[in-house]
Amino acid sequence: MTDLSWEQKADAYSLYGFTDLPSVHDRGAVVVTHGEGPYIFDTQGRKYLDANSGLWNMVAGFDHPGLIAAAQAQYARFSGYHAFFGRMSDQTVLLSEKLVEVSPFDRGRVFYTNSGSEANDTMVKMLWFLHAAEGKPQRRKILTRMNAYHGVTAVSASMTGKPYNSVFGLPLPGFIHLSCPHYWRFGQEGETEEQFTARMAAELEATILKEGADTIAAFFAEPVMGAGGVIPPSKGYFQAVAPILRKYGIPLISDEVICGFGRTGNTWGCETYDFMPDAIISSKNLTAGLFPMGTVILGPDLADRMQAAVETIEEFPHGFTASGHPVGCAIALKAIDVVMNEGLAENVNRLAPRLEAGLAEIAQNPNIGELRGVGYMWALEAVKDRATKTPFDGSLSVSERIANTCTDMGLICRPLGQSVVLCPPFILTEPQMDEMFEKLDKALKKVFAEVA
C-alpha cells in the first residue's frame, strides 16, 4: 500500500464528509500541502486561489505570521489545559473579557466549546437547564428555519433545516422548522418583499400559538443563512420577528458561526441587520481557522438567569476536555486583534462594493437567476430559465460541475444546491479579486455551454 499516490491513500483510508463521491471517484481527492496568503497548494504542486476561505474561516489567509507566532508562543508558555473545576488559563479569562467587550452586550458570560455545532448544542442544553430550574421544564421546543444550518451533532443537526438529515432519523422531536425567508425563491406571485416578510412573521406567531409559547425554549437564526446558500433575510425580517419573540418571552439566539467577526461587513451579523439577540453563537472566524473553537456568548438576561439556575444545583454539569484551551484562546485573542485592528475589517468594507459589482457583472449571464449576499459572502444561483426561475435538472449536478471546473482553473469555490458560493479571505487584494472574477466567469460559461 505504500506505493499508492496521495489521492489513492486518501481514498483508501479516509471517510469523506459532505463530499460529492462521484466527483472524487472521477477526479480523485485534492490533497493539500501548504498555503500562502489566500492560496493553497496540493501534492502535485498546483496552486489554487481559495475563494471559500477554507470553510468560511481562514479569513487571514493560510500563513499569517502574527497568528502563527501567537500559537507558537502560547505552546511554549502553556501548551494545554481545561476549564473545569474553577480552573482555567489566563488566556481563557482574557478572551472571555474580550468577547463580552466586542459583543453587542453591555455585560455577559462566555462558555467555550470546540466547534460551532457544539456551541449550538450547548446553547440548547443551557436553555433546557435554565427553563427547568425556573419551573418550566416543558419549555423544550426549538424553532429554526428551513435551509438553516446549525451544525452536525444530534441536537444541532435537528436544528438544521436540511433534508439530508433524514438519513439519520433526524430531526429529534420538538425541533420545528419555519419557512425559509428567501424572497426570490419563495415569494408568492404578486407578493411584495414587505408582504413576504409579514407572512413570515405571521407564520412565526401562528406557530407559537399552535405549539404554546410556554413549550418553546428559543428561536435560533443565522443573520445570513450560510450553508443554506448565502441567503440574506428578506427586508425587515428581524424587525418583524423580534417583537413577536419578545411578546411571548422566547429568547432569540443569533448563530454567528459564519457571520461573526466581519463576514457581513460588521463585527456581528446582528449589527448588519439591526437586531439585538439574547445570545450569540461564535466559531470559525473567532480563531481565523487556526484552532477548533466555539463559544456561547450570553447577553445580560440569559447570563443572569443561567447563573441563577447553576447556583441552585451548585454546578453546570456540562463541558468539553479541550474547551477554553489556552492555545486556542491565545490565537483567538490575536485573531480578533488582526481582524479588528490590523486592517482586515477595513479591507472588507473597502472592497465589498467592488466584490459585489464584479459578481453582478458575471451574474448578467442568462443562466444566473440571482446574485445574493452581503459583505464578503455571496452566492450565484444557476437556473435553466431566468424568467421562470426554473432550476436545472438535478441529475446534471450543475453547481458541482461549476466548482470542479473552477478547481481545474485554479479557483476554489463551493457548490450548494444549485448555487455557487464565494466567501473569500479578508486579505484578498484587488488583483486577486480580478483573478477570481476571471476564472469564475470562464468556468460558468464553459459549464452553461455544456448543459444549457
Side-chain angles (χ1 to χ4, degrees):
M1 299 293 278
T2 56
D3 293 333
L4 294 177
S5 68
W6 283 105
E7 294 77 13
Q8 289 170 326
K9 287 180 181 179
D11 203 42
Y13 300 114
S14 301
L15 183 63
Y16 303 107
F18 285 112
T19 298
D20 183 70
L21 292 181
S23 289
V24 173
H25 295 331
D26 291 343
R27 300 163 53 85
V30 176
V31 181
V32 181
T33 59
H34 65 287
E36 297 175 4
Y39 295 94
I40 58 173
F41 298 80
D42 69 11
T43 51
Q44 306 301 314
R46 293 172 297 202
K47 178 181 179 181
Y48 308 88
L49 175 60
D50 192 337
N52 197 44
S53 300
L55 199 58
W56 308 90
N57 56 345
M58 304 296 296
V59 294
F62 297 94
D63 61 346
H64 189 282
L67 290 168
I68 293 169
Q72 291 172 331
Q74 186 59 37
Y75 269 121
R77 179 174 175 264
F78 190 30
S79 61
Y81 207 64
H82 57 77
F84 284 31
F85 318 126
R87 296 192 294 274
M88 60 181 63
S89 79
D90 55 355
Q91 299 302 299
T92 312
V93 174
L94 289 173
L95 180 57
S96 296
E97 180 183 35
K98 175 58 70 173
L99 285 172
V100 173
E101 176 190 320
V102 301
S103 80
F105 309 128
D106 56 8
R107 60 185 179 84
R109 292 178 181 269
V110 178
F111 191 90
Y112 293 94
T113 68
N114 305 306
S115 67
S117 295
E118 290 175 359
N120 275 310
D121 194 299
T122 294
M123 184 75 251
V124 171
K125 287 183 70 176
M126 284 181 172
L127 290 160
W128 288 345
F129 178 83
L130 74 86
H131 287 315
E134 293 173 347
K136 300 175 181 177
Q138 77 281 3
R139 295 197 73 158
R140 294 182 64 84
K141 295 174 185 174
I142 301 294
L143 303 180
T144 61
R145 289 93 52 83
M146 295 302 298
N147 264 335
Y149 183 90
H150 297 288
V152 296
T153 63
V155 164
S156 61
S158 294
M159 299 162 67
T160 294
K162 305 289 281 187
Y164 55 70
N165 278 318
S166 64
V167 303
F168 304 107
L170 299 173
L172 297 168
F175 290 83
I176 300 165
H177 301 133
L178 301 166
S179 295
C180 174
H182 185 187
Y183 172 63
W184 177 83
R185 176 52 71 189
F186 299 116
Q188 297 173 352
E189 185 175 354
E191 186 177 47
T192 67
E193 189 166 358
E194 289 79 6
Q195 290 169 334
F196 173 82
T197 294
R199 179 160 62 85
M200 297 296 99
E203 179 197 46
L204 170 63
E205 185 157 28
T207 301
I208 293 170
L209 294 173
K210 175 186 174 184
E211 299 293 334
D214 62 349
T215 70
I216 298 172
F219 176 86
F220 284 69
E222 303 161 272
V224 178
M225 289 183 177
V230 185
I231 303 171
S234 58
K235 188 181 300 182
Y237 176 82
F238 283 104
Q239 287 66 46
V241 301
I244 295 170
L245 296 168
R246 283 196 299 272
K247 176 180 175 182
Y248 294 102
I250 297 171
L252 169 55
I253 313 301
S254 187
D255 182 344
E256 303 259 4
V257 168
I258 289 173
C259 296
F261 291 107
R263 179 62 69 182
T264 66
N266 290 293
T267 303
W268 304 105
C270 60
E271 295 174 325
T272 299
Y273 291 99
D274 193 25
F275 69 95
M276 178 61 75
D278 294 286
I280 284 174
I281 307 299
S282 176
S283 187
K284 294 194 183 291
N285 296 358
L286 172 61
T287 60
L290 270 70
F291 199 91
M293 178 177 286
T295 62
V296 175
I297 309 172
L298 299 174
D301 179 64
L302 285 184
D304 291 347
R305 292 167 63 190
M306 186 64 192
Q307 186 63 27
V310 169
E311 294 286 352
T312 62
I313 66 167
E314 300 183 350
E315 71 170 336
F316 179 44
H318 177 79
F320 305 92
T321 301
S323 60
H325 194 288
V327 177
C329 291
I331 293 170
L333 283 163
K334 182 60 179 178
I336 293 169
D337 187 51
V338 167
V339 170
M340 299 183 72
N341 302 316
E342 293 188 11
L344 270 68
E346 292 175 11
N347 199 53
V348 170
N349 286 310
R350 180 175 66 88
L351 292 182
R354 191 177 192 275
L355 175 59
E356 180 178 4
L359 292 175
E361 185 174 343
I362 293 171
Q364 296 304 307
N365 188 302
N367 289 116
I368 297 297
E370 182 188 34
L371 169 67
R372 58 180 179 266
V374 66
Y376 259 37
M377 55 188 304
W378 292 87
L380 295 154
E381 178 106 3
V383 291
K384 183 177 181 180
D385 185 280
R386 178 188 284 175
T388 62
K389 304 179 184 178
T390 303
F392 285 99
D393 189 282
S395 64
L396 293 172
S397 300
V398 169
S399 65
E400 194 71 29
R401 287 193 190 198
I402 295 168
N404 287 338
T405 303
C406 283
T407 301
D408 292 340
M409 295 179 177
L411 176 69
I412 302 292
C413 59
R414 181 176 179 181
L416 275 172
Q418 298 254 345
S419 301
V420 176
V421 167
L422 299 113
C423 47
F426 296 174
I427 60 170
L428 204 70
T429 64
E430 293 186 42
Q432 290 164 349
M433 192 175 285
D434 289 339
E435 177 187 348
M436 181 181 72
F437 293 149
E438 179 184 359
K439 291 178 176 178
L440 176 64
D441 192 43
K442 285 182 180 179
L444 290 170
K445 289 175 179 175
K446 182 178 186 297
V447 172
F448 291 146
E450 295 169 354
V451 301

